[in-house]
Amino acid sequence: MNERGQRRPARPQRSRPAPRKSGPRRPPEIDAARQVAFDVLRAVREKDAYANLMLPQLLRERRVTGRDAALATELTYGAARAQGLLDAVIAACVDRPLEKTDPVVLDALRLGAYQLLRTRIPEHAAVGSTVDLVRAEAGSWATGFANAILRTVSTKDEAQWLDELAPDEEKDSIGAYALRTAHPRWVARSFAEALGDKGADLKAALEADDERPEVHLVARPGEISADELAAITGGDPAPYSPYGVRLPAGAGDPADAEPVRERLAAVQDEGSQLCAVAATKAPLSGSDERWLDLCAGPGGKAALLGALAKISGARVDAVEKAPHRARLVENATTGLPVTVHVGDGRESGLEPGYDRVLVDAPCSGLGALRRRPEARWRRKPSDVADLTKLQGELLVAALDLVRPGGVVAYVVCSPHLAETEGVVGEIARRTKSEVLDARGFFPGVPQLGEGPYVQLWPHRHGTDAMFCALLRKP
């Protein structure tokens, strides 16, 4: 009431903000595909996991299928393969050394940058989903940073960034092609040395190595033909291997194909098939019944040799050092005339006198980088020296085990000259072995050079970059 006894007018009611709810904020919901891709990239960095092994496992465990599985696969393999290129772009957007960026945040930024530069995913979806990932995995403190970086990345497309960051092709072709195809410079240099070219041939090789590969199947000889396998799987008979079938990239999980489940076929690069077959074709005088696969794990070539041996009446001994890989060899060769031995190929203890020996030696794997997305950034130049020492020792052991007049096939999945011509040339000289012209045992395969070795290439043959040398013991 006022002084005159009159009632005061009521004050208008003010709208007040709703009271905050108590308890923690709800974490952002991350779609399953991007979460899987992020988790694989993180595991590759933190645990040295293999993307091609971990991705299928996570997809199965989380029941991610269909389009989500396809998106997860594209993002995982794409971001892993293009890491060097993505890092170069991100580094250009950050005002600090990339090494000082939180590793978890960097994993997410790579995933976001890949979506912006190499997919048709809309910018708002790529940025928003990545910021949500950063908030969930690293905390809210980093969301502004991640948003700012990705907004800057999105101001240019991939070609514009490369024009800004790549070296001049005229002055530094190896560096330019390496960045443009997401390869470490040392890998690009090793390709150039093997090709003898720093120009168009090198560019084509690196570009082919940066593409998603076709899936290759091998039809088990004596069980199913390549034509039958192609008809069942919807693929095409391979152009060079009499047992090969090629499926287009992204054709689904080949392990689900009925012939693979029934062990009539297996996944195997056509180049590997050609090398294994070549090991059985070099002419011999005398017996041809005892074959040896000296480095047999995980069993792909041993299975093909075993199937061919079954037809010809030969038997195969397969040596594998690691017990778990030896079990893989046993599984791959079930029903074939193959005996698996667990041991070091350099000291196998087997009785000498083999007619043919295959040395599929451990190597840098530079020839199969397209199938192992993260491998190009994991391998180091310093790895090669240790590998060449081991490769030489295994080749010497093979020549000790083969009979006079017998043939040793030396195979690596690498074009690095130290692992290929360097190893073979040195051991052939020391042991006075005859180096055969291997090209004659790759019938119909074009562009094999001047010999006597065979180096396959993705851009020429559509295979992994397999190397094969054939030596005859004097």
Side-chain angles (χ1 to χ4, degrees):
M1 304 290 284
N2 59 19
E3 292 177 351
R4 296 178 180 179
Q6 296 174 330
R7 185 179 298 276
R8 295 178 185 271
R11 292 181 177 179
Q13 291 185 345
R14 295 177 178 177
S15 60
R16 296 181 178 178
R20 291 183 178 179
K21 295 180 179 179
S22 58
R25 288 185 176 182
R26 179 186 298 176
E29 293 184 1
I30 312 299
D31 65 90
R34 290 181 174 84
Q35 187 68 60
V36 167
F38 173 83
D39 289 343
V40 175
L41 294 180
R42 185 172 184 174
V44 167
R45 176 181 53 78
E46 291 183 345
K47 303 176 182 177
D48 285 339
Y50 294 97
N52 63 340
L53 298 181
M54 187 165 187
L55 177 63
Q57 176 186 336
L58 289 187
L59 292 177
R60 284 194 301 271
E61 289 176 355
R62 301 179 187 182
R63 299 183 179 181
V64 179
T65 59
R67 296 178 62 181
D68 285 343
L71 176 60
T73 302
E74 169 65 27
L75 298 183
T76 302
Y77 290 165
R81 186 180 297 115
Q83 180 181 314
L85 167 63
L86 301 174
D87 284 0
V89 173
I90 294 169
C93 303
V94 180
D95 59 356
R96 71 186 78 161
L98 209 58
E99 295 75 19
K100 293 188 177 180
T101 301
D102 183 277
V104 173
V105 175
L106 184 56
D107 289 336
L109 288 176
R110 288 167 176 159
L111 200 56
Y114 180 79
Q115 294 173 69
L116 290 169
L117 299 178
R118 287 198 164 184
T119 75
R120 296 180 179 179
I121 294 172
E123 176 186 331
H124 70 274
V127 175
S129 61
T130 304
V131 170
D132 286 344
L133 260 175
V134 169
R135 181 180 292 110
E137 300 291 339
S140 298
W141 63 269
T143 56
F145 171 76
N147 184 67
I149 297 303
L150 292 178
R151 294 295 180 192
T152 306
V153 171
S154 69
T155 58
K156 301 182 180 71
D157 61 21
E158 181 183 357
Q160 291 171 321
W161 276 114
L162 287 171
D163 288 343
E164 180 177 317
L165 298 174
D168 186 335
E169 289 186 15
E170 297 295 327
K171 299 178 181 177
D172 180 10
S173 62
I174 292 178
Y177 297 150
L179 183 61
R180 288 181 178 277
T181 60
H183 285 78
R185 175 186 283 270
W186 77 274
V187 174
R189 185 183 302 112
S190 73
F191 277 35
E193 291 170 352
L195 289 164
D197 180 83
K198 297 180 181 179
D201 208 18
L202 171 62
K203 182 181 180 183
L206 293 172
E207 287 177 344
D209 205 49
D210 197 35
E211 294 177 356
R212 291 182 64 185
E214 296 175 317
V215 175
H216 295 181
L217 301 179
V218 58
R220 177 169 286 186
E223 299 288 347
I224 187 174
S225 71
D227 287 338
E228 291 170 331
L229 180 59
I232 296 172
T233 59
D236 295 314
Y240 312 122
S241 169
Y243 311 109
V245 168
R246 293 186 177 188
L247 305 178
D253 188 351
D256 292 337
E258 184 177 348
V260 176
R261 294 200 310 271
E262 295 183 357
R263 306 171 67 84
L264 300 175
V267 178
Q268 186 176 48
D269 180 76
E270 188 180 2
S272 294
Q273 299 173 37
L274 292 170
C275 293
V277 172
T280 70
K281 295 300 183 184
L284 295 178
S285 295
S287 65
D288 190 9
E289 300 173 346
R290 290 187 69 205
W291 299 358
L292 172 62
D293 184 350
L294 198 56
C295 310
K301 294 186 182 67
L304 181 52
L305 287 179
L308 294 171
K310 186 177 182 180
I311 295 171
S312 69
R315 293 197 60 83
V316 181
D317 285 309
V319 178
E320 171 50 48
K321 183 178 181 179
H324 71 284
R325 286 168 62 86
R327 287 193 290 274
L328 294 176
V329 180
E330 290 176 343
N331 184 57
T333 59
T334 300
L336 298 172
V338 178
T339 302
V340 179
H341 307 265
V342 180
D344 190 325
R346 293 170 293 183
E347 299 176 347
S348 65
L350 296 171
E351 183 180 351
Y354 286 94
D355 302 305
R356 301 180 186 274
V357 180
L358 170 65
V359 183
D360 185 17
C363 67
S364 64
L366 299 188
L369 295 178
R370 57 189 189 145
R371 300 193 188 280
R372 299 163 188 162
E374 75 285 351
R376 67 187 66 185
W377 306 109
R378 180 173 288 166
R379 279 293 187 191
K380 305 296 180 188
S382 55
D383 296 338
V384 175
D386 289 340
L387 287 167
T388 56
K389 180 175 183 295
L390 173 61
Q391 291 157 356
E393 292 170 350
L394 287 165
L395 185 52
V396 168
L399 287 164
D400 287 340
L401 289 166
V402 76
R403 66 171 172 81
V407 170
V408 172
Y410 172 82
V411 177
V412 287
C413 188
S414 171
H416 197 296
L417 289 178
E419 298 183 88
T420 59
E421 297 181 22
V423 169
V424 176
E426 169 64 17
I427 301 303
R429 182 187 63 78
R430 283 168 43 191
T431 60
K432 303 186 185 308
S433 298
E434 177 190 2
V435 178
L436 307 179
D437 190 339
R439 294 175 299 170
F441 306 105
F442 289 72
V445 182
Q447 300 186 71
L448 294 181
E450 299 178 355
Y453 311 121
V454 164
Q455 177 65 66
L456 301 174
W457 289 98
H459 68 299
R460 292 177 181 170
H461 309 106
T463 67
D464 290 345
M466 303 292 299
F467 172 87
C468 179
L470 299 176
L471 294 85
R472 190 186 303 280
K473 185 174 181 177

